[in-house]
């Protein structure tokens, strides 16, 4: 990497940022595409996110990613917000424009591109969505806007499931998200589903559990997509596979949310060949050799 007076800077703001894989995605892309660009993580303390934005603009940063806990909070400091991100209520990518930053959400299109690359379709599918947190909310928008047939949204807190379902159905003008308490999973219809696991249960270091342990539940799943990528074979994935279903982890979603951000900052398209090369680097870093 040759840093000189022309080097453009992008970065990540969040707290914590120490374990992020995003520098690997963006610095690999910059290197392979011979762009004079560097990507660095910035640890931003609580209460400092708006000052961080002003500083980033003053320092002529090209763009930023935003992670936990600032994906919603950062929105009040933006000049403009993309329509999709506005609907989702969360922003994970900021693009420098004249006078400030414009906010986007690349998590949702990232998941869509990741699923498409595995040949998984949302259109017309009967689905289960586990969770009603920030990620699940974006996934619910994705499913409704991509015309899933029906999505049973199961969450530990029924109130949160109802709130997310109500909001997504209203904003997309569709009546496809059906809220349920997690404990009511036995009431799901007897059929096969595409299931997306969007809770934090099973995330490293607490890897021994899945949000539902009952094998009967997993007999209803033909494909299980876990947003978690650490570990790369979660307990949820193991339970899906044990009942004959196909299972995927969330590393490709991470890859594509990063690639879409890089495309926005540099106004270009990243080829699938290049995406595969970056994915190999990510897998190597994670110790995934399959
Ligand atoms: P979040 O907003 O904190 O939501 C956490 C969700 O997990 C809530 O639905 C919560 O239910 C549920 N939950 C937590 N502990 C539980 C337990 N013991 N039993 C049952 N449910 C439990 O988190 P998030 O930002 O949505 O992230 C969710 C997951 O997605 C994380 O594991 C994250 O790593 C992953 N993710 C991956 C990517 C990617 O690029 N691959 C991107 C974003 C997120 P309650 O509402 O009842 O508390």
């Amino acid at each position: 990497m040759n840093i000189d007076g022309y080097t453009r800077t992008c970065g990540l703001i969040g707290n914590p940022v120490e374990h992020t894989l995003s520098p690997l995605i963006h610095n690999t892309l910059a290197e392979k595409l011979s762009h004079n660009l560097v990507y660095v993580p910035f640890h931003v303390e609580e209460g400092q996110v708006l000052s961080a934005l002003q500083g980033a603009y003053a320092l002529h940063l090209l763009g930023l990613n935003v992670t936990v806990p600032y994906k919603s909070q950062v929105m009040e400091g933006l000049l403009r917000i993309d329509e999709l991100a506005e609907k989702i209520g969360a922003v994970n990518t900021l693009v420098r424009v004249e006078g400030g930053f414009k906010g986007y959400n690349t998590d949702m299109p990232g998941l869509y591109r990741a699923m498409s690359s595995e040949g998984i379709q949302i259109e017309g599918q009967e689905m289960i969505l586990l969770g009603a947190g920030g990620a699940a909310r974006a996934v619910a928008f994705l499913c409704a806007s991509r015309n899933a047939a029906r999505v049973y949204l199961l969450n530990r807190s029924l109130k949160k499931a109802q709130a997310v379902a109500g909001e997504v159905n209203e904003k997309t003008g569709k009546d496809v998200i059906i809220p349920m308490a997690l404990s009511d999973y036995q009431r799901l219809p007897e059929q096969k589903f595409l299931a997306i696991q969007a809770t934090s249960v099973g995330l490293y270091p607490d890897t021994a559990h899945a949000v539902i342990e009952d094998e009967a539940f997993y007999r209803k799943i033909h494909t299980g997509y876990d947003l978690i990528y650490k570990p790369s074979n979660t307990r949820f994935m193991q339970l899906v596979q044990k009942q004959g279903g196909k299972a995927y982890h969330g590393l490709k979603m991470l890859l594509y949310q990063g690639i879409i951000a890089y495309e926005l900052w540099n106004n270009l398209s990243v080829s699938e060949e290049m995406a595969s090369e970056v994915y190999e680097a990510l897998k190597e870093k994670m110790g995934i050799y399959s």
Side-chain angles (χ1 to χ4, degrees), residues 131-135 155-157 160 182 198-201 203 211 227-229 250 253-254:
N155 196 50
R156 179 175 59 180
S157 145
K160 260 168 97 175
L182 192 65
T199 77
S200 45
V201 182
L203 183 64
V211 70
L227 299 196
I228 292 174
Y229 53 83
M253 174 184 176
L254 181 82

PDB file of all heavy atoms in Angstrom, residues 131-135 155-157 160 182 198-201 203 211 227-229 250 253-254, ligand 1:
ATOM      1  N   GLY A 131     -36.346 -13.532  15.056  1.00  0.00           N
ATOM      2  CA  GLY A 131     -35.775 -12.296  15.590  1.00  0.00           C
ATOM      3  C   GLY A 131     -36.572 -11.075  15.159  1.00  0.00           C
ATOM      4  O   GLY A 131     -37.304 -11.116  14.152  1.00  0.00           O
ATOM      5  N   ALA A 132     -36.443 -10.008  15.956  1.00  0.00           N
ATOM      6  CA  ALA A 132     -37.121  -8.745  15.624  1.00  0.00           C
ATOM      7  C   ALA A 132     -36.230  -7.567  16.010  1.00  0.00           C
ATOM      8  O   ALA A 132     -36.712  -6.477  16.317  1.00  0.00           O
ATOM      9  CB  ALA A 132     -38.475  -8.658  16.335  1.00  0.00           C
ATOM     10  N   GLY A 133     -34.908  -7.797  15.988  1.00  0.00           N
ATOM     11  CA  GLY A 133     -33.961  -6.719  16.285  1.00  0.00           C
ATOM     12  C   GLY A 133     -33.648  -5.927  15.019  1.00  0.00           C
ATOM     13  O   GLY A 133     -34.375  -6.025  14.022  1.00  0.00           O
ATOM     14  N   GLY A 134     -32.551  -5.174  15.055  1.00  0.00           N
ATOM     15  CA  GLY A 134     -32.190  -4.311  13.931  1.00  0.00           C
ATOM     16  C   GLY A 134     -32.024  -5.080  12.625  1.00  0.00           C
ATOM     17  O   GLY A 134     -32.546  -4.672  11.582  1.00  0.00           O
ATOM     18  N   ALA A 135     -31.315  -6.204  12.668  1.00  0.00           N
ATOM     19  CA  ALA A 135     -31.071  -6.977  11.445  1.00  0.00           C
ATOM     20  C   ALA A 135     -32.371  -7.597  10.941  1.00  0.00           C
ATOM     21  O   ALA A 135     -32.678  -7.536   9.743  1.00  0.00           O
ATOM     22  CB  ALA A 135     -30.034  -8.064  11.715  1.00  0.00           C
ATOM     23  N   ASN A 155     -40.435 -14.000  17.526  1.00  0.00           N
ATOM     24  CA  ASN A 155     -39.484 -13.330  18.428  1.00  0.00           C
ATOM     25  C   ASN A 155     -39.820 -13.637  19.876  1.00  0.00           C
ATOM     26  O   ASN A 155     -40.971 -13.877  20.223  1.00  0.00           O
ATOM     27  CB  ASN A 155     -39.514 -11.810  18.194  1.00  0.00           C
ATOM     28  CG  ASN A 155     -38.313 -11.133  18.804  1.00  0.00           C
ATOM     29  OD1 ASN A 155     -37.180 -11.562  18.578  1.00  0.00           O
ATOM     30  ND2 ASN A 155     -38.526 -10.099  19.592  1.00  0.00           N
ATOM     31  N   ARG A 156     -38.771 -13.641  20.713  1.00  0.00           N
ATOM     32  CA  ARG A 156     -38.959 -13.871  22.151  1.00  0.00           C
ATOM     33  C   ARG A 156     -39.977 -12.866  22.699  1.00  0.00           C
ATOM     34  O   ARG A 156     -40.921 -13.232  23.385  1.00  0.00           O
ATOM     35  CB  ARG A 156     -37.605 -13.742  22.845  1.00  0.00           C
ATOM     36  CG  ARG A 156     -37.641 -13.917  24.335  1.00  0.00           C
ATOM     37  CD  ARG A 156     -36.255 -13.883  24.907  1.00  0.00           C
ATOM     38  NE  ARG A 156     -35.540 -12.647  24.618  1.00  0.00           N
ATOM     39  CZ  ARG A 156     -34.312 -12.373  25.006  1.00  0.00           C
ATOM     40  NH1 ARG A 156     -33.640 -13.252  25.718  1.00  0.00           N
ATOM     41  NH2 ARG A 156     -33.740 -11.231  24.722  1.00  0.00           N
ATOM     42  N   SER A 157     -39.774 -11.598  22.396  1.00  0.00           N
ATOM     43  CA  SER A 157     -40.746 -10.587  22.812  1.00  0.00           C
ATOM     44  C   SER A 157     -41.779 -10.423  21.697  1.00  0.00           C
ATOM     45  O   SER A 157     -41.466  -9.945  20.607  1.00  0.00           O
ATOM     46  CB  SER A 157     -40.020  -9.259  23.087  1.00  0.00           C
ATOM     47  OG  SER A 157     -40.832  -8.184  22.705  1.00  0.00           O
ATOM     48  N   LYS A 160     -42.363  -6.857  20.308  1.00  0.00           N
ATOM     49  CA  LYS A 160     -41.412  -6.383  19.298  1.00  0.00           C
ATOM     50  C   LYS A 160     -41.731  -6.982  17.935  1.00  0.00           C
ATOM     51  O   LYS A 160     -41.639  -6.304  16.911  1.00  0.00           O
ATOM     52  CB  LYS A 160     -39.973  -6.732  19.705  1.00  0.00           C
ATOM     53  CG  LYS A 160     -39.255  -5.534  20.333  1.00  0.00           C
ATOM     54  CD  LYS A 160     -37.979  -5.938  20.971  1.00  0.00           C
ATOM     55  CE  LYS A 160     -36.747  -5.733  20.134  1.00  0.00           C
ATOM     56  NZ  LYS A 160     -35.518  -6.060  20.895  1.00  0.00           N
ATOM     57  N   LEU A 182     -42.005 -16.514  19.941  1.00  0.00           N
ATOM     58  CA  LEU A 182     -41.075 -17.613  19.677  1.00  0.00           C
ATOM     59  C   LEU A 182     -41.582 -18.924  20.284  1.00  0.00           C
ATOM     60  O   LEU A 182     -41.500 -19.990  19.670  1.00  0.00           O
ATOM     61  CB  LEU A 182     -39.720 -17.235  20.285  1.00  0.00           C
ATOM     62  CG  LEU A 182     -38.528 -18.067  19.915  1.00  0.00           C
ATOM     63  CD1 LEU A 182     -38.201 -17.946  18.439  1.00  0.00           C
ATOM     64  CD2 LEU A 182     -37.321 -17.620  20.740  1.00  0.00           C
ATOM     65  N   ALA A 198     -32.116 -14.479  12.492  1.00  0.00           N
ATOM     66  CA  ALA A 198     -31.606 -13.120  12.688  1.00  0.00           C
ATOM     67  C   ALA A 198     -31.598 -12.730  14.169  1.00  0.00           C
ATOM     68  O   ALA A 198     -31.671 -11.547  14.495  1.00  0.00           O
ATOM     69  CB  ALA A 198     -32.428 -12.125  11.872  1.00  0.00           C
ATOM     70  N   THR A 199     -31.522 -13.736  15.068  1.00  0.00           N
ATOM     71  CA  THR A 199     -31.293 -13.394  16.480  1.00  0.00           C
ATOM     72  C   THR A 199     -29.784 -13.472  16.740  1.00  0.00           C
ATOM     73  O   THR A 199     -29.024 -13.943  15.895  1.00  0.00           O
ATOM     74  CB  THR A 199     -32.005 -14.363  17.453  1.00  0.00           C
ATOM     75  OG1 THR A 199     -31.260 -15.581  17.534  1.00  0.00           O
ATOM     76  CG2 THR A 199     -33.435 -14.651  17.040  1.00  0.00           C
ATOM     77  N   SER A 200     -29.387 -13.033  17.919  1.00  0.00           N
ATOM     78  CA  SER A 200     -27.967 -13.117  18.261  1.00  0.00           C
ATOM     79  C   SER A 200     -27.636 -14.415  19.006  1.00  0.00           C
ATOM     80  O   SER A 200     -26.508 -14.597  19.465  1.00  0.00           O
ATOM     81  CB  SER A 200     -27.569 -11.892  19.093  1.00  0.00           C
ATOM     82  OG  SER A 200     -28.533 -11.661  20.088  1.00  0.00           O
ATOM     83  N   VAL A 201     -28.608 -15.331  19.098  1.00  0.00           N
ATOM     84  CA  VAL A 201     -28.362 -16.601  19.800  1.00  0.00           C
ATOM     85  C   VAL A 201     -27.478 -17.517  18.935  1.00  0.00           C
ATOM     86  O   VAL A 201     -27.791 -17.764  17.780  1.00  0.00           O
ATOM     87  CB  VAL A 201     -29.687 -17.313  20.155  1.00  0.00           C
ATOM     88  CG1 VAL A 201     -29.409 -18.607  20.918  1.00  0.00           C
ATOM     89  CG2 VAL A 201     -30.583 -16.400  20.963  1.00  0.00           C
ATOM     90  N   LEU A 203     -24.192 -16.774  18.553  1.00  0.00           N
ATOM     91  CA  LEU A 203     -23.040 -15.949  18.180  1.00  0.00           C
ATOM     92  C   LEU A 203     -21.862 -16.224  19.116  1.00  0.00           C
ATOM     93  O   LEU A 203     -22.047 -16.390  20.320  1.00  0.00           O
ATOM     94  CB  LEU A 203     -23.459 -14.471  18.291  1.00  0.00           C
ATOM     95  CG  LEU A 203     -22.467 -13.389  17.891  1.00  0.00           C
ATOM     96  CD1 LEU A 203     -22.137 -13.474  16.410  1.00  0.00           C
ATOM     97  CD2 LEU A 203     -23.041 -12.002  18.221  1.00  0.00           C
ATOM     98  N   VAL A 211     -31.776 -20.731  18.899  1.00  0.00           N
ATOM     99  CA  VAL A 211     -32.907 -20.048  19.518  1.00  0.00           C
ATOM    100  C   VAL A 211     -34.078 -21.016  19.735  1.00  0.00           C
ATOM    101  O   VAL A 211     -34.860 -20.875  20.668  1.00  0.00           O
ATOM    102  CB  VAL A 211     -33.271 -18.791  18.683  1.00  0.00           C
ATOM    103  CG1 VAL A 211     -33.891 -19.149  17.347  1.00  0.00           C
ATOM    104  CG2 VAL A 211     -34.125 -17.837  19.470  1.00  0.00           C
ATOM    105  N   LEU A 227     -27.714 -15.368   9.859  1.00  0.00           N
ATOM    106  CA  LEU A 227     -26.961 -14.121   9.613  1.00  0.00           C
ATOM    107  C   LEU A 227     -25.622 -14.140  10.350  1.00  0.00           C
ATOM    108  O   LEU A 227     -24.708 -13.405  10.018  1.00  0.00           O
ATOM    109  CB  LEU A 227     -27.763 -12.887  10.054  1.00  0.00           C
ATOM    110  CG  LEU A 227     -29.101 -12.625   9.377  1.00  0.00           C
ATOM    111  CD1 LEU A 227     -29.553 -11.190   9.638  1.00  0.00           C
ATOM    112  CD2 LEU A 227     -29.074 -12.889   7.881  1.00  0.00           C
ATOM    113  N   ILE A 228     -25.512 -15.000  11.344  1.00  0.00           N
ATOM    114  CA  ILE A 228     -24.259 -15.103  12.095  1.00  0.00           C
ATOM    115  C   ILE A 228     -23.186 -15.763  11.215  1.00  0.00           C
ATOM    116  O   ILE A 228     -23.488 -16.684  10.461  1.00  0.00           O
ATOM    117  CB  ILE A 228     -24.485 -15.952  13.372  1.00  0.00           C
ATOM    118  CG1 ILE A 228     -25.393 -15.176  14.345  1.00  0.00           C
ATOM    119  CG2 ILE A 228     -23.152 -16.332  14.045  1.00  0.00           C
ATOM    120  CD1 ILE A 228     -25.810 -15.956  15.582  1.00  0.00           C
ATOM    121  N   TYR A 229     -21.947 -15.255  11.290  1.00  0.00           N
ATOM    122  CA  TYR A 229     -20.850 -15.899  10.541  1.00  0.00           C
ATOM    123  C   TYR A 229     -19.710 -16.337  11.460  1.00  0.00           C
ATOM    124  O   TYR A 229     -18.743 -16.938  11.004  1.00  0.00           O
ATOM    125  CB  TYR A 229     -20.328 -14.997   9.417  1.00  0.00           C
ATOM    126  CG  TYR A 229     -19.937 -13.610   9.863  1.00  0.00           C
ATOM    127  CD1 TYR A 229     -18.698 -13.367  10.412  1.00  0.00           C
ATOM    128  CD2 TYR A 229     -20.827 -12.560   9.746  1.00  0.00           C
ATOM    129  CE1 TYR A 229     -18.337 -12.103  10.839  1.00  0.00           C
ATOM    130  CE2 TYR A 229     -20.485 -11.284  10.162  1.00  0.00           C
ATOM    131  CZ  TYR A 229     -19.238 -11.064  10.700  1.00  0.00           C
ATOM    132  OH  TYR A 229     -18.912  -9.817  11.128  1.00  0.00           O
ATOM    133  N   GLY A 250     -23.613 -16.262   7.525  1.00  0.00           N
ATOM    134  CA  GLY A 250     -23.807 -14.881   7.084  1.00  0.00           C
ATOM    135  C   GLY A 250     -22.581 -14.171   6.523  1.00  0.00           C
ATOM    136  O   GLY A 250     -22.624 -12.949   6.326  1.00  0.00           O
ATOM    137  N   MET A 253     -23.204 -12.257   3.327  1.00  0.00           N
ATOM    138  CA  MET A 253     -23.968 -11.021   3.542  1.00  0.00           C
ATOM    139  C   MET A 253     -23.010  -9.896   3.927  1.00  0.00           C
ATOM    140  O   MET A 253     -23.095  -8.777   3.412  1.00  0.00           O
ATOM    141  CB  MET A 253     -25.007 -11.235   4.647  1.00  0.00           C
ATOM    142  CG  MET A 253     -25.747  -9.972   5.043  1.00  0.00           C
ATOM    143  SD  MET A 253     -26.867 -10.282   6.420  1.00  0.00           S
ATOM    144  CE  MET A 253     -27.481  -8.630   6.731  1.00  0.00           C
ATOM    145  N   LEU A 254     -22.070 -10.225   4.821  1.00  0.00           N
ATOM    146  CA  LEU A 254     -21.063  -9.236   5.222  1.00  0.00           C
ATOM    147  C   LEU A 254     -20.254  -8.778   4.006  1.00  0.00           C
ATOM    148  O   LEU A 254     -20.012  -7.585   3.804  1.00  0.00           O
ATOM    149  CB  LEU A 254     -20.137  -9.836   6.285  1.00  0.00           C
ATOM    150  CG  LEU A 254     -19.075  -8.870   6.777  1.00  0.00           C
ATOM    151  CD1 LEU A 254     -19.663  -7.944   7.841  1.00  0.00           C
ATOM    152  CD2 LEU A 254     -17.861  -9.590   7.340  1.00  0.00           C
TER     153      LEU A 254
HETATM  154  P1  LIG B   1     -30.308  -6.981  18.090  1.00  0.00           P
HETATM  155  O1  LIG B   1     -30.939  -5.763  17.500  1.00  0.00           O
HETATM  156  O2  LIG B   1     -29.647  -6.900  19.406  1.00  0.00           O
HETATM  157  O3  LIG B   1     -31.461  -8.128  18.161  1.00  0.00           O
HETATM  158  C1  LIG B   1     -31.212  -9.346  18.822  1.00  0.00           C
HETATM  159  C2  LIG B   1     -32.359 -10.326  18.542  1.00  0.00           C
HETATM  160  O4  LIG B   1     -32.020 -11.570  19.161  1.00  0.00           O
HETATM  161  C3  LIG B   1     -33.715  -9.914  19.120  1.00  0.00           C
HETATM  162  O5  LIG B   1     -34.736 -10.374  18.281  1.00  0.00           O
HETATM  163  C4  LIG B   1     -33.734 -10.655  20.467  1.00  0.00           C
HETATM  164  O6  LIG B   1     -35.029 -10.949  20.954  1.00  0.00           O
HETATM  165  C5  LIG B   1     -33.061 -11.942  20.076  1.00  0.00           C
HETATM  166  N1  LIG B   1     -32.467 -12.612  21.227  1.00  0.00           N
HETATM  167  C6  LIG B   1     -31.341 -12.271  21.912  1.00  0.00           C
HETATM  168  N2  LIG B   1     -31.108 -13.145  22.913  1.00  0.00           N
HETATM  169  C7  LIG B   1     -32.107 -14.075  22.850  1.00  0.00           C
HETATM  170  C8  LIG B   1     -32.413 -15.243  23.617  1.00  0.00           C
HETATM  171  N3  LIG B   1     -31.632 -15.641  24.627  1.00  0.00           N
HETATM  172  N4  LIG B   1     -33.508 -15.955  23.267  1.00  0.00           N
HETATM  173  C9  LIG B   1     -34.298 -15.582  22.242  1.00  0.00           C
HETATM  174  N5  LIG B   1     -34.062 -14.479  21.481  1.00  0.00           N
HETATM  175  C10 LIG B   1     -32.983 -13.741  21.791  1.00  0.00           C
HETATM  176  O7  LIG B   1     -29.202  -7.585  17.094  1.00  0.00           O
HETATM  177  P2  LIG B   1     -29.084  -7.387  15.507  1.00  0.00           P
HETATM  178  O8  LIG B   1     -28.275  -6.204  15.208  1.00  0.00           O
HETATM  179  O9  LIG B   1     -30.465  -7.488  14.938  1.00  0.00           O
HETATM  180  O10 LIG B   1     -28.209  -8.673  15.087  1.00  0.00           O
HETATM  181  C11 LIG B   1     -28.750  -9.980  15.129  1.00  0.00           C
HETATM  182  C12 LIG B   1     -27.712 -10.978  14.597  1.00  0.00           C
HETATM  183  O11 LIG B   1     -27.469 -10.745  13.216  1.00  0.00           O
HETATM  184  C13 LIG B   1     -26.365 -10.883  15.306  1.00  0.00           C
HETATM  185  O12 LIG B   1     -25.936 -12.163  15.629  1.00  0.00           O
HETATM  186  C14 LIG B   1     -25.438 -10.257  14.273  1.00  0.00           C
HETATM  187  O13 LIG B   1     -24.134 -10.769  14.404  1.00  0.00           O
HETATM  188  C15 LIG B   1     -26.080 -10.716  12.969  1.00  0.00           C
HETATM  189  N6  LIG B   1     -25.813  -9.787  11.855  1.00  0.00           N
HETATM  190  C16 LIG B   1     -25.071 -10.228  10.799  1.00  0.00           C
HETATM  191  C17 LIG B   1     -24.788  -9.379   9.734  1.00  0.00           C
HETATM  192  C18 LIG B   1     -23.970  -9.876   8.567  1.00  0.00           C
HETATM  193  O14 LIG B   1     -23.458  -9.054   7.789  1.00  0.00           O
HETATM  194  N7  LIG B   1     -23.836 -11.158   8.365  1.00  0.00           N
HETATM  195  C19 LIG B   1     -25.290  -8.067   9.737  1.00  0.00           C
HETATM  196  C20 LIG B   1     -26.059  -7.645  10.833  1.00  0.00           C
HETATM  197  C21 LIG B   1     -26.313  -8.522  11.883  1.00  0.00           C
HETATM  198  P3  LIG B   1     -35.821  -9.879  21.913  1.00  0.00           P
HETATM  199  O15 LIG B   1     -36.353  -8.822  20.979  1.00  0.00           O
HETATM  200  O16 LIG B   1     -36.913 -10.673  22.508  1.00  0.00           O
HETATM  201  O17 LIG B   1     -34.809  -9.349  22.888  1.00  0.00           O
END
